[in-house]
Structure formats: C-alpha cells, structure tokens
Amino acid sequence: MAGEIPDLNATVRTGTGKGAARQARRDHLVPGIVYGGGAEPLPINIKYNELLKRLKAGRFLSTLFNLKVDGQEDVRVICRAVQRDVVKDLPTHVDLMRLRRTSRINLFIPVEFVGEETSPGLKRGGVLTVVRPEVELVVTAGDIPEKLTVDVSALNVGDIVHISDITLPQGTTPTITGRDFVIANISAPSGLRSADNEEEEEAGEE
C-alpha cells in the first residue's frame, strides 16, 4: 500500500456561478469542484500558492490526493482537469473526482533498486543505468503499491531488467501493453568497453 498519499487542503466555496469564482480568484484562491463517488458535487476553493506548488512538482493529473475540507470527511481524489488562463497559463479552475476503493486509475509508481552492494556487475565497475525511475501503472485506489522493488544482487554487466521481471501486485498492470519495456540495465564501465573494442578491432585485423 502507498504509505504517503499527499494531502490537498481546500475549503467549501460559498455561492456558485461566475461571481463566486471571480471573488475566489481575487482572494488568491482557485475555485474547483469535487464530483463522483456517489455523492453530490462539492464546490471548493484551494489556496493559489499551494495549487501552483503542486502543479510545478509535476504529475498532478496522475497523483492520488487525500482531500481535506473543513467539516467534511477526508476523501481520496484525483484531478481530472485544470483550466488555465489562456494568456498567463495559470490555473483558474480544477475538477477533482472522488474515488472508491475499487476505482481503477493510472498512477506513476517509483522504482526502488536493492542489492547493489552484492551485484557482481557493479563490483566489476559496471554502472546501473536506470531507464525508468517510475512506471505508470493501472492500479486499484484501495490497493496502491508504495513502490516497485528491483533486486539487482545477481545481475552482471550487460544484464537488463524488463517490466516482466518485476512482480506486480495482483490486479496491477502497466499502462504500456504489448511491449516488455526496459526498466534498467548494468552497462560496462568506459574502461572495460574500450578494452572490449580494442580486442574486437584486433580480432578483425587478424
């Protein structure tokens, strides 16, 4: 299970329509709506600076948040749309969708590598090249893995880790299907590559 689902703080927006939304923006708030999950839509305001910070951090549309609203129970949400000012490209409205525990969503899950201290390839001076430090997966909201773990303790120079080499939680699938994409590999150190190239050149001359 994901250990740290970030909080997203909001307040209930009183009033509806363009007038209330304009007033929210004058108060340095971004208006939004929370919908779905079998409950009535809830108009909210989010502090402008907090939302902008989240947006700059990246992956906002594929991050699961714990929405905290005064007077309301916490609920898991995912952003489905961010409207922006056409000139300044700054957020003017957000749409958040409530999630049931059985909801299926796309999330980026980080990859953790273990066993580096005993890897024969790394002991020889090889370099662990991480191609995908995170993988986009289709997950169930109530069973989100905190991370994917890759054990490189038995890997040698030239070995490659594919997505098929990672045991995914039950019901979890990559968003990229039909291709066994690379997660990481252990590449030869530059000195070893140079020596190999020289041997190949000498063999060719013979």
Side-chain angles (χ1 to χ4, degrees), residues 77-115:
V77 298
I78 192 166
C79 183
R80 280 297 175 239
V82 178
Q83 297 173 24
R84 296 174 179 268
D85 183 278
V86 293
V87 177
K88 299 179 180 179
D89 195 36
L90 297 175
T92 58
H93 191 276
V94 292
D95 293 346
L96 303 176
M97 185 175 72
R98 300 184 189 95
L99 297 174
R100 294 188 175 95
R101 292 186 64 82
T102 55
S103 299
R104 301 278 289 169
I105 53 175
N106 293 10
L107 288 180
F108 284 89
I109 305 298
V111 180
E112 179 184 68
F113 296 88
V114 299

Side-chain angles (χ1 to χ4, degrees), residues 60-202:
F60 187 76
L61 293 179
S62 57
T63 297
L64 185 68
F65 290 102
N66 180 50
L67 182 66
K68 301 178 77 69
V69 180
D70 290 341
Q72 305 279 334
E73 289 187 5
D74 291 3
V75 62
R76 289 183 176 185
V77 298
I78 192 166
C79 183
R80 280 297 175 239
V82 178
Q83 297 173 24
R84 296 174 179 268
D85 183 278
V86 293
V87 177
K88 299 179 180 179
D89 195 36
L90 297 175
T92 58
H93 191 276
V94 292
D95 293 346
L96 303 176
M97 185 175 72
R98 300 184 189 95
L99 297 174
R100 294 188 175 95
R101 292 186 64 82
T102 55
S103 299
R104 301 278 289 169
I105 53 175
N106 293 10
L107 288 180
F108 284 89
I109 305 298
V111 180
E112 179 184 68
F113 296 88
V114 299
E116 295 177 55
E117 65 280 356
T118 57
S119 165
L122 296 179
K123 282 184 175 182
R124 290 183 60 198
V127 178
L128 177 62
T129 302
V130 178
V131 179
R132 291 179 183 267
E134 55 185 9
V135 178
E136 189 178 18
L137 301 175
V138 182
V139 300
T140 303
D143 190 23
I144 300 171
E146 182 177 356
K147 60 191 174 186
L148 302 179
T149 301
V150 176
D151 186 355
V152 300
S153 61
L155 299 187
N156 217 321
V157 172
D159 286 346
I160 299 174
V161 179
H162 295 87
I163 186 62
S164 62
D165 298 318
I166 301 177
T167 301
L168 300 177
Q170 186 174 0
T172 298
T173 58
T175 56
I176 301 175
T177 58
R179 182 161 64 87
D180 194 14
F181 54 86
V182 174
I183 300 297
N185 63 72
I186 296 187
S187 56
S190 55
L192 184 58
R193 286 197 297 269
S194 298
D196 289 344
N197 291 338
E198 289 175 4
E199 289 178 3
E200 291 174 3
E201 291 174 0
E202 291 175 1

